């Protein structure tokens, strides 16, 4: 029988995992050609949003104080700059492999974190600010990044 | 100083409130004409998604065992049926008023619920099933509906 804290954390992690799984199912249903289309006229392409999600999830590794970023260079193309701002040679297949790798890393860490670990500060807040704002913790990153994924998932769904 | 349970719940409620607020800001930035456009070619119109979100949030009132649904009839048009399946006379202005009313109701309830109240079963699960699956509680509805809102928010953003 889980205690209340454990159950709450498990639910937040389950919501993350199920949102990643739904996104994987969508990504696997799209052809490379579909990924090169814009999700709506004059909006981001599927490959940009795929790269964006890999880069944002990859940055969660250091942000949650888990380990170093695997592909920090992706942020230059897929976070700092908008779609079509720079040419790049990333392929759908390569980004899908990285997407799986980064999410598997996160998921493995999430399996062993204890409820109290989630209440520790994330790495983008100072100890001083965290003392005043204890909600700026790892759980907050998990909740906001789950919603960030849902936001873009709703857009990528238009490629089908 | 909040205890750990209180802080976790507060963070989930804050994530809900901030997602509703961002959506309100977007809705307020759109003209009635924009609401009548499709968010992407051959996809849902803005007014359909607005009505859908009102209907889904309205149903949270009984689902969370808080009070009766205010506008149960909206579900017939905006949940059970796809966009353009039936003609209706709902206006953007009327749906925006209901959107605010329903979310204000939810928010008022959320302010007084205690952490342990969130761990109670929601109304769509039997006591017997809940005994075996304690995650089928009110908090689960909050987390999933926050992501549901983010999903559609990402789509309505294309109307701008």
């Amino acid at each position: 029988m889980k205690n209340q804290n454990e159950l709450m954390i498990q639910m937040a992690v389950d919501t993350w995992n199920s949102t990643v799984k739904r996104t994987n199912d969508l990504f696997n249903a799209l052809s490379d050609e579909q990924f090169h289309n814009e999700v709506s006229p004059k909006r981001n392409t599927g490959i940009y949003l795929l790269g964006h999600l890999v880069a944002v999830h990859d940055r969660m590794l250091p942000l949650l104080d888990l380990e170093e970023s695997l592909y920090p260079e992706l942020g230059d193309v897929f976070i700092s700059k908008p779609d079509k701002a720079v040419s790049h040679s990333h392929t759908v297949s390569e980004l899908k492999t990285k997407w799986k790798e980064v999410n598997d890393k996160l998921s493995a860490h999430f399996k062993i974190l204890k409820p109290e670990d989630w209440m520790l500060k994330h790495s983008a807040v100072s100890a001083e600010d965290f003392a005043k704002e204890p909600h700026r913790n790892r759980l907050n990153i998990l909740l906001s990044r789950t919603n960030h994924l849902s936001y873009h998932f709703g857009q990528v769904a238009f490629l089908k």
Side-chain angles (χ1 to χ4, degrees), chain A:
Chain A
M1 185 75 183
K2 286 187 197 300
N3 70 31
Q4 198 160 309
N5 282 350
E6 283 170 340
L7 184 57
M8 284 181 188
I9 292 296
Q10 188 58 53
M11 291 167 57
V13 171
D14 284 349
T15 304
W16 165 268
N17 285 333
S18 67
T19 309
V20 168
K21 172 156 192 331
R22 288 170 69 202
T23 310
N24 289 345
D25 291 346
L26 171 62
F27 284 169
N28 290 332
L30 297 171
S31 68
D32 282 21
E33 194 188 335
Q34 285 173 307
F35 268 104
H36 284 91
N37 292 335
E38 292 171 334
V39 296
S40 189
K42 299 184 187 169
R43 302 292 176 172
N44 291 320
T45 55
I47 187 173
Y48 179 83
L49 288 177
L50 170 60
H52 176 69
L53 289 170
V54 178
V56 167
H57 287 202
D58 184 50
R59 285 195 179 179
M60 288 171 70
L61 290 166
L63 187 56
L64 295 172
D65 254 335
L66 301 172
E67 60 178 288
E68 293 294 301
S69 203
L70 300 177
Y71 305 107
E73 71 281 5
L74 290 180
D76 298 336
V77 179
F78 296 109
I79 297 179
S80 311
K81 298 208 175 62
D83 197 7
K84 299 145 203 157
V86 286
S87 64
H88 64 80
S89 56
H90 298 288
T91 64
V92 170
S93 157
E94 168 224 323
L95 290 170
K96 280 168 87 172
T97 302
K98 289 177 174 166
W99 168 249
K100 182 174 183 331
E101 187 185 1
V102 165
N103 287 323
D104 284 351
K105 284 264 183 195
L106 288 168
S107 173
H109 284 290
F110 294 173
K111 268 190 193 140
I112 52 176
L113 286 182
K114 300 196 185 326
E116 58 270 27
D117 298 331
W118 283 100
M119 308 312 278
L120 299 176
K121 80 177 196 67
H122 60 67
S123 67
V125 63
S126 69
E128 192 183 3
D129 287 345
F130 183 64
K132 289 175 282 185
E133 302 174 299
H135 67 277
R136 298 176 71 179
N137 56 30
R138 288 161 152 175
L139 178 61
N140 209 20
I141 300 294
L142 182 71
L143 295 174
S144 66
R145 290 303 181 279
T146 307
N147 278 284
H148 174 263
L149 177 56
S150 292
Y151 175 91
H152 289 303
F153 174 63
Q155 300 174 331
V156 175
F158 289 161
L159 290 178
K160 275 202 298 193

